Amino acid sequence: MFSLRRVLDVIIRTPNYCWQKNIDPTIKRFGKMNTVFVYGTLKKGQPNHRYMIDGTKGKGLYCGMGHTHQKYPLVIAGKFNIPFLLHLPGKGHEIAGEIYLIDNQLLQFLDEFESCPELYQRRPVGVHVVEWQDQANTLEVKPDVDGMMECFLYNTTSYEQDWLKLPYYNNYDPFGNHGQPKYVLREAR
């Protein structure tokens, strides 16, 4: 006779088992999931996007697009032309980006990748969702009735005062024309 605990253990270890339909089966087996809003080199088609989806640093699932509820200054600065979202709520633009559901392992990697808390700080912010990829309502998170949700976002209080004089952007594309040299990949620094 099998105990309930043994049956559940077998089900959870089954490679294709998923708690909810239509979700990558590996996503639901990693405990608490977090929502994160990315606006720079981690977005689709950008140089560091692989970290969000390849599974080597943790599990991540693209959920949709949105923009910050509050305005922030997004500048391109430093000798490597890095996007910096300055922690000055109310100044700048609503920032466009992507929403991901990630596990704690990927969240920890992103903290290290973003040099958190020394360079960037991770904060919960309100995000207005403009596109959501969960039409079947299978994800454990979703926007509220007003299309809002809370996501982690990396921004910084560590910046040079001259950066406040740089142009503010609402969207970042390292391959775009920002009137300055292109983003320098980490591997090339």
Side-chain angles (χ1 to χ4, degrees), residues 158-179:
S158 307
Y159 56 88
E160 298 174 25
Q161 287 301 308
D162 287 351
W163 291 4
L164 295 172
K165 298 175 187 170
L166 294 172
Y168 296 166
Y169 299 95
N170 69 338
N171 195 4
Y172 175 76
D173 180 355
F175 307 114
N177 182 7
H178 301 292

Side-chain angles (χ1 to χ4, degrees), residues 27-67:
I27 292 289
K28 297 306 273 180
R29 292 194 305 227
F30 288 88
K32 182 181 181 308
M33 301 299 285
N34 308 280
T35 51
V36 65
F37 179 80
V38 298
Y39 55 85
T41 66
L42 293 167
K43 295 187 305 185
K44 286 182 181 181
Q46 306 306 333
N48 296 314
H49 179 66
R50 67 187 179 277
Y51 299 122
M52 299 303 291
I53 59 166
D54 73 5
T56 60
K57 306 295 184 186
K59 302 295 179 184
L61 178 69
Y62 173 81
C63 294
M65 296 177 12
H67 59 80

